[in-house]
Amino acid sequence: MTAATEPPTVTCWWACLHSADIRLKTLLRPADSTRIQQFTQPSDRGRRMVAQVLVDALAPDSTRLCPECASRSHGAVVARSRFVSVSHARSLVVVAVSDWPVGIDVDHAGDIRGTTGATNPHLWTRREAVVKLRGIRDATATLACAGVSVCPWPQHAVATAGQVATTDLVIPAGRGTGRYAASVAWPTSGTTPAHSSMTVVHRDGDRLIARLLGKQQTAP
């Protein structure tokens, strides 16, 4: 668990669309495979397949739950062991995991023109990261009401925008730096302890996927 005197850590696992090897389908759970196949565009299926394989590797006990309709076939990723947030845009996928509630968003600058982030893409990704954070909270609360044990959400967290902090991420080199913007959000008040900062660690999701495929090939 995170020490009270230290800021929480969020680990961001970055992967690219080129990791969407068709062999990843064999690593998916049937429900996730069915959900992903519903998307008509190959790039949409590829991004979601890469993201889901990373989620399953990093939080094997995770499930999905829609905070609006309570469906478990889509919606926010929730896990018993840790908090998870997922985002993807064009050729980039990121999965954030933490012992502390977190939301993450990544977008391509070309896709947010004409929005509130037209002049500064991070204005958009900060907003979306907060939306992701709130979605995890709502889904976690719904699961708890359903009697499913999940990672605890501190009471009254994220009641207002003033109780949330965001930070902009420096996307790792070689992954479209300059073309993408990304931000993370976390609750800063209404929680015990309260944290005004968060430590960000970047990891290579493509390498993790390659290892998973290697293990699959060597399995008897």
Side-chain angles (χ1 to χ4, degrees), residues 54-76:
L54 287 174
V55 167
D56 289 344
L58 300 169
D61 61 344
S62 64
T63 186
R64 286 184 177 269
L65 185 73
C66 177
E68 296 182 359
C69 69
S71 170
R72 299 199 185 189
S73 64
H74 62 276

Side-chain angles (χ1 to χ4, degrees), residues 38-59:
Q38 293 175 350
F39 292 89
T40 58
Q41 295 297 321
S43 58
D44 289 335
R45 294 196 299 268
R47 284 188 292 268
R48 286 165 174 80
M49 182 166 61
V50 168
Q52 190 60 54
V53 168
L54 287 174
V55 167
D56 289 344
L58 300 169

Side-chain angles (χ1 to χ4, degrees), residues 6 24 26 45 54 74 89 98 146 172 180 193-194 211:
E6 299 177 355
L24 293 182
T26 62
R45 294 196 299 268
L54 287 174
H74 62 276
S98 179
Y180 292 87
R211 290 204 302 268

